[in-house]
Amino acid sequence: MIRAVSDKKNERADARRIEDRFERRLAAFEALFRLFEKLVATLEVDAIASLLVTFMGEQKVKRAALYLASSGKRRLEPHPAAGAAGGHVLPFIAVESAFVRSLAEAGGSVRLDEFNVDAAQAAGEDDAELRSLAEAGFSHAIGLAGRDGFLGMLIYGGADDAGGFQSDDELCATLARGASIAIGNALLREKIDASMRNLEEFSGAKRDLIAAVVQDIRMPLAFLKSALWSLDPDQAGESVLVDMAKDAAGRLESKIEYVLSLSEIEPGARDFEMESAEVSSIVEDILREKLPELEEKQVRVDLDDRARFRKALIDPGKLAVAIRSLIDNAVHAVERDGTVAVTIRVSEEPPGKEDGVDMDDSRASAGDEADLRRNRPARSADASSYLVIDVRDDGIANLDRFGSGLVISRKVVSGHGGKLLCKSDPKWGAQFSVWIPLDV
């Protein structure tokens, strides 16, 4: 009878211990999910390291630290923002060491002392490092593996079954996966930021160099123009030569300004110098510059300006680069005696599929044209109208027209908040259209 009562008490005690363990494990997972919510919101390695150490502290872990692989991935180094070591100097650990290899294969938490006594694995090569970690109060390690290899490890010590971190494989594996994803994303962001800084530094140096060269060319060109305009030829033949030299000097000056505007167009650049200006004068200047080429190729240009004197908020120099590129594209595509039609107009509606394929829409194709009216809210009374520049030619429609000039044109038009559309037909050639919002 006494034994039966004792058995019931033991059963109740065992059930209570199991229930308490389950509740602690459930609480640990809930805390882990809250940690993941915070990790998703940050892309800074320092913040991630602090969050991991704080999480371990909330789990009643006395000491925790984060190791990350060095830039050369030859060794693991303690992260300075990931907790203190009680006055101990934490050692570096070689990535190729037996301990790190074992940690990468474990898929969960590894006890430092258990690894240390396994002579077959350690072979004495990691004794000093592991002994140093143990003396600093660390007992467990969790490996962090990323897409490009081993990222590091989270080490901790002082956990106990009465209320500390549960070192079961499932919980540790979940923590490792979440931390690895967060750290991998943060390291990738750092690489991207570093690449962008290098690109911006190079681009700045390139712009400065081109600006200096342009300035060096402007000065002798100014003297040349002054000398040409001061000439007073006596004979008709000399007058023709002087006029040709003046035209050449004018075209050279325009080309210099073109190169300067071209150099200022950068990926991600937002330094467009907007002003209220006419597009008609820009198109006319470009066509005037191309007269010698048009006459030589005997190409006819039809200019239909339906928006004369209508101004838009644009960067004249950069927009001229885009329009010049489209006109060059058309002139290159047409055969001798061909026709290029340039139309400047205003549209009160946004572009639709009948206007062409959006060149910035990666989903757009000749068989699946993008309709920009789709998913667009209803037009309001104060919505912007659009200034449209159509460049159409009767050249070969299947000619490869998507070179560097089109890439730059897309960048310029996008910088104006506009769209660059394209449509083609084997019967009548191709048309590129620039759509720029008005009244913004």
Side-chain angles (χ1 to χ4, degrees):
M1 189 70 177
I2 296 175
R3 178 176 295 178
V5 172
S6 176
D7 288 343
K8 289 183 179 179
K9 288 184 177 179
N10 290 336
E11 289 176 1
R12 287 196 295 270
D14 291 342
R16 184 58 185 171
R17 282 195 295 271
I18 294 174
E19 184 178 348
D20 289 344
R21 182 177 178 83
F22 176 77
E23 289 178 353
R24 292 200 309 271
R25 196 164 183 266
L26 180 60
F29 270 108
E30 290 177 349
L32 193 58
F33 293 145
R34 291 194 298 270
L35 170 67
F36 289 168
E37 290 178 351
K38 296 177 181 178
L39 291 178
V40 170
T42 181
L43 288 173
E44 297 180 2
V45 176
D46 291 354
I48 292 172
S50 298
L51 286 172
L52 291 173
V53 173
T54 301
F55 166 78
M56 299 302 286
E58 293 173 351
Q59 301 305 307
K60 296 182 171 53
V61 172
K62 296 179 181 179
R63 182 160 295 136
L66 177 68
Y67 270 77
L68 293 179
S70 62
S71 57
K73 295 188 177 182
R74 294 186 176 181
R75 65 184 187 183
L76 301 182
E77 301 176 356
H79 194 279
H88 292 266
V89 177
L90 298 183
F92 296 142
I93 300 177
V95 172
E96 297 298 328
S97 66
F99 173 67
V100 173
R101 291 198 302 270
S102 174
L103 193 60
E105 298 171 357
S109 177
V110 172
R111 288 185 60 90
L112 303 184
D113 56 354
E114 289 181 357
F115 177 85
N116 209 11
V117 299
D118 193 343
Q121 283 184 316
E125 63 180 277
D126 303 321
D127 284 350
E129 290 81 359
L130 298 182
R131 188 164 52 250
S132 177
L133 292 177
E135 291 173 355
F138 298 100
S139 59
H140 293 74
I142 304 174
L144 307 177
R147 293 183 293 268
D148 299 327
F150 198 71
L151 296 176
M153 66 178 181
L154 179 65
I155 59 174
Y156 62 96
D160 55 68
D161 293 336
F165 183 69
Q166 301 293 312
S167 298
D168 60 89
D169 287 342
E170 184 179 359
L171 182 61
C172 291
T174 304
L175 174 61
R177 283 195 296 270
S180 298
I181 292 172
I183 293 173
N185 291 340
L187 294 175
L188 179 60
R189 172 66 178 273
E190 288 183 354
K191 290 181 180 179
I192 293 174
D193 289 344
S195 297
M196 290 301 298
R197 286 193 297 271
N198 290 337
L199 180 60
E200 289 173 359
E201 183 180 354
F202 175 81
S203 297
K206 182 195 67 176
R207 288 195 304 269
D208 293 342
L209 177 60
I210 293 177
V213 173
V214 166
Q215 186 62 28
D216 290 341
I217 297 175
R218 277 175 175 165
M219 292 183 65
L221 180 60
F223 286 116
L224 176 62
K225 289 179 62 178
S226 177
L228 287 173
W229 264 259
S230 65
L231 291 177
D232 186 14
D234 297 331
Q235 300 179 3
E238 293 177 350
S239 179
V240 171
L241 291 175
V242 170
D243 290 339
M244 292 176 60
K246 288 181 179 180
D247 291 340
R251 290 196 300 272
L252 179 58
E253 188 174 35
S254 298
K255 289 293 184 182
I256 291 173
E257 298 303 323
Y258 171 73
V259 170
L260 188 59
S261 297
L262 194 63
S263 70
E264 294 174 352
I265 301 172
E266 299 290 344
R270 298 182 180 179
D271 56 342
F272 281 65
E273 298 179 358
M274 300 296 195
E275 62 180 75
S276 181
E278 287 185 47
V279 174
S280 300
S281 59
I282 295 175
V283 174
E284 291 172 358
D285 289 343
I286 294 172
L287 294 177
R288 191 178 300 112
E289 293 171 15
K290 294 191 70 65
L291 275 177
E293 181 182 353
L294 297 172
E295 292 175 355
E296 180 181 356
K297 198 174 181 180
Q298 295 184 4
V299 172
R300 187 182 69 199
V301 176
D302 294 333
L303 176 59
D304 183 7
D305 191 352
R306 309 174 193 171
R308 193 162 187 81
F309 307 121
R310 186 65 182 268
K311 293 185 177 181
L313 192 62
I314 61 174
D315 184 322
K318 293 184 176 63
L319 187 59
V321 170
I323 297 174
R324 180 181 283 106
S325 176
L326 299 183
I327 293 176
D328 286 343
N329 190 321
V331 173
H332 174 68
V334 298
E335 298 179 352
R336 193 175 186 86
D337 298 323
T339 300
V340 174
V342 181
T343 303
I344 306 173
R345 57 191 174 92
V346 174
S347 173
E348 299 298 332
E349 294 291 338
K353 62 181 182 181
E354 70 278 4
D355 296 302
V357 176
D358 181 3
M359 302 307 297
D360 282 330
D361 190 348
S362 59
R363 298 167 298 176
S365 64
D368 183 20
E369 294 176 328
D371 187 353
L372 299 183
R373 289 193 182 97
R374 184 177 54 195
N375 299 327
R376 184 180 178 90
R379 182 178 174 85
S380 61
D382 58 349
S384 298
S385 52
Y386 294 83
L387 181 67
V388 185
I389 303 101
D390 297 319
V391 180
R392 180 175 173 176
D393 64 78
D394 56 7
I396 302 173
N398 60 358
L399 181 71
D400 182 12
R401 300 166 178 261
F402 304 97
S404 57
L406 183 60
V407 173
I408 295 173
S409 297
R410 291 206 322 259
K411 168 63 185 172
V412 170
V413 176
S414 297
H416 284 80
K419 297 287 184 181
L420 178 60
L421 307 183
C422 173
K423 64 179 180 179
S424 62
D425 189 293
K427 296 180 180 179
W428 52 258
Q431 174 177 298
F432 288 90
S433 301
V434 175
W435 290 67
I436 298 177
L438 279 169
D439 306 324
V440 293

